[in-house]
Amino acid sequence: MSNTTNNHDERDTVMENMLDLLAREDRTEPDAGFEDRIWHAMHQATETRISGRRRKKSTAWIPFVTAACVGVMGYIVWMPMINVDLETNDQTVASVLDDDFSADILLSSFDAMDMLIADAEEVDESLSMLELQIDTNEFEVSVDSTWQDLGGSL
Amino acid sequence: MDEHIAGRELDDQRHQEAAGQSDDLAALVAEAARGDGQAWSELIERYARRVYALAKSRLRDPDEAEEVSQAVFASVFQHVSTGRYTERGQFEPWLFRIAMNRIRDQIRRNTRRVRIESHTDRVISVPSEVADESHDLGKLRSAIDSLNDSDQEIIGLRHQAGMEFKAIAELLNEPVGTLLARHHRAMHKLRKLLGVDAQAGVSHE
């Protein structure tokens, strides 16, 4: 058992030595300027980043100015149109006004109904009076018309 | 037996180096963060070639490996110099994590460019006579290439990057025991591929 373990250890050591040799070869592969190139690339990347930042700063005003221009344009274009609509009673505005008007009528008729219901007895009386008057008038009119017809025929 | 002792000595030496480096590494990174050029030079001196070796082991292309190394250090420099990296004694795992990510990106890009036939765990024919200390490292490279990604990763981090298992565990967020097992498995596959076992005349259970 211990012999097998020793063999395993030995073979692992052989393998590890081979791998270390390979790693050493890979590490020594780049030329002497390798570190300098790393250093240069490192600083170049940072410089690019800084210059990128500066460019961003210099163009930072563009969205604000654009937004302001859009606001001013909107004011100039839309404000006169709103005034014209009010003065010329545009359909949209008119429909709104109609709605308001009908709503007022509805409310006032509700008030009248309330008053009528409150004075129900008076309404009954006045209704019967009206019926009487109508009947009388119809009679009178019918009488008048009969005599007029007679006179006409004579 | 001599090889065994030499291996142990190498391990001890590696461990001592790592321990000594970790002591002054935090101070070095702090100086680099303050913009000390000398500190940056030392960090490059210490890690650039290890990053290169790791990249080379995975990418196989020297130009791509150097490109990745430059990108890694550019990223590290930006993070450290702008205070986005806070030193918690994990500079090395952090640096190699960046390296691994860059390498993976490059592999993905290369795969998109050329669809390479997957040859995971394929047994390659390696004559047994090449498997001794002085051998053709090209064969070993081919053997590593034939391992799967997980095995290549652990071999690359341990040997090409020269990392301690503890640092690899921090990098990959895996227990040290799991990594030791992974490493052992990868080594076993390599031995099998290179015929080291056959040469030693030991049969596997």
Side-chain angles (χ1 to χ4, degrees):
Chain A
M1 180 67 186
S2 65
N3 191 27
T4 313
T5 312
N6 284 341
N7 280 330
H8 269 288
D9 287 346
E10 202 172 313
R11 281 170 299 159
D12 278 348
T13 309
V14 170
M15 282 306 305
E16 291 207 1
N17 287 345
M18 282 170 71
L19 286 164
D20 286 337
L21 204 67
L22 185 71
R24 217 167 295 148
E25 194 190 73
D26 280 344
R27 286 179 205 175
T28 51
E29 189 182 70
D31 57 21
F34 174 72
E35 279 81 7
D36 289 339
R37 289 196 295 278
I38 294 271
W39 176 269
H40 181 70
M42 220 168 72
H43 285 275
Q44 201 177 25
T46 313
E47 279 165 20
T48 311
R49 202 161 153 265
I50 289 166
S51 63
R53 267 187 187 171
R54 277 179 192 156
R55 191 159 54 248
K56 270 181 193 169
K57 271 184 186 173
S58 67
T59 55
W61 55 272
I62 290 174
F64 295 104
V65 171
T66 309
C69 286
V70 168
V72 169
M73 285 290 287
Y75 179 79
I76 292 166
V77 172
W78 287 100
M79 279 306 286
M81 285 177 73
I82 290 166
N83 290 338
V84 167
D85 284 344
L86 286 171
E87 283 166 9
T88 57
N89 204 8
D90 184 271
Q91 277 206 340
T92 313
V93 177
S95 68
V96 171
L97 289 173
D98 282 348
D99 285 347
D100 289 344
F101 185 58
S102 55
D104 286 345
I105 288 170
L106 205 64
L107 284 170
S108 59
S109 56
F110 277 135
D111 290 341
M113 285 292 285
D114 283 343
M115 283 173 66
L116 286 169
I117 290 162
D119 303 321
E121 286 181 9
E122 285 178 23
V123 170
D124 281 343
E125 282 176 14
S126 53
L127 275 173
S128 57
M129 281 293 289
L130 275 169
E131 280 173 4
L132 276 171
Q133 280 177 356
I134 290 165
D135 289 342
T136 311
N137 286 336
E138 276 179 353
F139 177 75
E140 282 173 3
V141 169
S142 63
V143 171
D144 289 343
S145 62
T146 310
W147 282 109
Q148 277 171 1
D149 291 341
L150 282 169
S153 61
L154 287 170
Chain B
M1 190 62 187
D2 289 344
E3 282 170 353
H4 180 65
I5 293 164
R8 291 276 181 213
E9 279 174 357
L10 190 75
D11 270 356
D12 291 346
Q13 190 189 340
R14 187 183 280 163
H15 187 74
Q16 280 167 7
E17 276 175 15
Q21 280 175 2
S22 65
D23 290 341
D24 63 340
L25 186 59
L28 195 62
V29 173
E31 279 171 29
R34 285 194 291 270
D36 185 351
Q38 189 60 40
W40 277 112
S41 293
E42 206 173 323
L43 283 174
I44 291 170
E45 197 74 36
R46 198 178 282 189
Y47 288 108
R49 283 173 188 267
R50 286 168 65 184
V51 170
Y52 175 88
L54 178 66
K56 174 76 191 304
S57 73
R58 300 301 306 276
L59 298 167
R60 293 278 163 255
D61 185 89
D63 295 333
E64 282 182 1
E66 183 161 339
E67 207 176 297
V68 164
S69 307
Q70 289 177 3
V72 168
F73 275 87
S75 183
V76 167
F77 184 72
Q78 281 174 10
H79 277 81
V80 172
S81 59
T82 55
R84 279 186 289 163
Y85 169 77
T86 42
E87 174 60 40
R88 287 175 201 151
Q90 293 187 329
F91 178 79
E92 193 174 302
W94 175 70
L95 183 139
F96 281 106
R97 189 177 297 130
I98 294 173
M100 289 300 289
N101 289 337
R102 294 278 178 176
I103 291 164
R104 282 193 196 116
D105 288 347
Q106 190 61 43
I107 290 170
R108 226 170 283 140
R109 241 173 271 144
N110 291 350
T111 313
R112 242 178 275 141
R113 213 179 300 152
V114 186
R115 291 273 170 199
I116 302 166
E117 187 194 347
S118 173
H119 50 269
T120 308
D121 286 349
R122 182 168 53 88
V123 177
I124 56 163
S125 56
V126 181
S128 59
E129 62 265 23
V130 297
D132 59 353
E133 191 84 33
S134 59
H135 355 272
D136 186 1
L137 294 175
K139 298 288 179 190
L140 178 58
R141 232 185 268 282
S142 302
I144 294 169
D145 273 352
S146 68
L147 297 176
N148 63 34
D149 277 349
S150 171
D151 292 336
Q152 280 190 44
E153 187 178 64
I154 191 76
I155 292 289
L157 289 170
R158 172 68 178 156
H159 299 280
Q160 309 305 110
M163 292 177 79
E164 290 286 308
F165 279 110
K166 196 184 162 197
I168 300 172
E170 281 168 11
L171 192 161
L172 299 175
N173 282 327
E174 280 184 40
V176 175
T178 309
L179 294 174
L180 283 167
R182 264 176 71 184
H183 182 257
H184 180 75
R185 209 165 41 237
M187 293 291 271
H188 172 70
K189 284 176 188 173
L190 277 179
R191 279 202 311 266
K192 216 169 153 187
L193 287 165
L194 291 167
V196 174
D197 291 346
Q199 198 189 39
V202 178
S203 62
H204 273 294
E205 59 276 21

